[in-house]
Amino acid sequence: DAKTTQPTSMDCAEGRAANLPCNHSTISGNEYVYWYRQIHSQGPQYIIHGLKNNETNEMASLIITEDRKSSTLILPHATLRDTAVYYCIVKGNQFYFGTGTSLTVIP
Amino acid sequence: DSGVTQTPKHLITATGQRVTLRCSPRSGDLSVYWYQQSLDQGLQFLIQYYNGEERAKGNILERFSAQQFPDLHSELNLSSLELGDSALYFCASSVDPAHDSEQFFGPGTRLTVL
């Protein structure tokens, strides 16, 4: 299963876009990129996933580079409730969660 | 609310004991996954069931076992408990194990072993 690399932590001002990067240089052709977030000790929450094309839903946008070696999760207008640990996962046979990015939204 | 339920929410027990954690998947989901999250290990995949059959194993100890019943609920059994087993245990479910099928997580069971 492909591994991912994410920054340990990031800050974002409330109301601004939060751009969370992820490197997955060993991704295989049929492996999807998933993003989850975990607020405090709650169960991880699904955000978005994609294979090749950029994706958008009511929560976020996912931008995947053409070579698929990296992606960016975009929260268009961050709120204080978006403060969480964000996990980028490349799904092979299973989900393997790394250490994620701890995003703090600052008032 | 993900639709996945887990009981109990909290469990406190002593070393050497055995406990059972229960998970009910979302309606219509056939696949159930168990994860362990401890402070120093992050989220670790333990085991997966699909429609009653074991599908995949991750970092699950031999002291741990699980099963999925005909009504699709699942139980995770932890025996000969050690202090290091203290953790959050999450259950997740999905429609199927396909590559493009997202998992929905329950609220977790916090296990404390004293």
Side-chain angles (χ1 to χ4, degrees):
Chain A
D1 293 297
K3 293 188 177 179
T4 62
T5 303
Q6 298 178 253
T8 303
S9 63
M10 292 180 64
D11 292 339
C12 178
E14 187 178 18
R16 304 297 292 268
N19 297 283
L20 291 89
C22 179
N23 287 323
H24 32 78
S25 58
T26 60
I27 191 170
S28 298
N30 65 343
E31 291 180 323
Y32 281 74
V33 178
Y34 281 78
W35 283 84
Y36 278 75
R37 72 182 182 184
Q38 187 174 26
I39 299 172
H40 297 299
S41 296
Q42 299 176 22
Q45 178 189 20
Y46 167 78
I47 301 174
I48 199 167
H49 74 282
L51 183 63
K52 293 180 183 178
N53 301 320
N54 298 337
E55 302 287 345
T56 296
N57 63 21
E58 64 279 4
M59 286 184 69
S61 295
L62 174 60
I63 308 299
I64 303 174
T65 58
E66 195 168 338
D67 62 7
R68 301 208 329 120
K69 292 186 177 181
S70 66
S71 60
T72 300
L73 177 74
I74 301 172
L75 307 178
H77 305 287
T79 70
L80 299 179
R81 289 177 294 179
D82 292 323
T83 293
V85 177
Y86 287 77
Y87 296 99
C88 169
I89 303 160
V90 171
K91 187 186 178 197
N93 293 321
Q94 296 300 335
F95 278 176
Y96 284 94
F97 288 79
T99 53
T101 296
S102 178
L103 175 70
T104 301
V105 179
I106 301 169
Chain B
D1 184 358
S2 67
V4 178
T5 60
Q6 291 186 247
T7 56
K9 274 191 173 182
H10 302 277
L11 199 49
I12 301 174
T13 188
T15 55
Q17 295 299 305
R18 173 189 170 95
V19 297
T20 297
L21 313 183
R22 182 187 170 102
C23 168
S24 293
R26 293 189 321 156
S27 177
D29 285 358
L30 299 179
S31 204
V32 170
Y33 311 76
W34 286 98
Y35 293 82
Q36 177 192 56
Q37 186 174 35
S38 51
L39 280 175
D40 58 348
Q41 292 288 326
L43 266 159
Q44 300 284 320
F45 166 69
L46 295 178
I47 197 165
Q48 177 202 353
Y49 280 82
Y50 176 69
N51 204 20
E53 299 290 327
E54 182 183 303
R55 177 62 77 97
K57 266 187 175 180
N59 301 320
I60 189 165
L61 300 172
E62 286 193 9
R63 300 183 286 108
F64 296 0
S65 65
Q67 55 183 327
Q68 186 180 27
F69 294 86
D71 66 353
L72 300 178
H73 91 272
S74 178
E75 293 181 356
L76 179 66
N77 300 297
L78 315 176
S79 61
S80 303
L81 285 167
E82 302 175 359
L83 296 178
D85 297 327
S86 295
L88 273 167
Y89 291 84
F90 290 105
C91 168
S93 72
S94 69
V95 172
D96 60 51
H99 286 292
D100 63 344
S101 180
E102 62 263 39
Q103 296 180 17
F104 294 89
F105 284 76
T109 293
R110 182 176 293 278
L111 173 66
T112 302
V113 182
L114 301 175

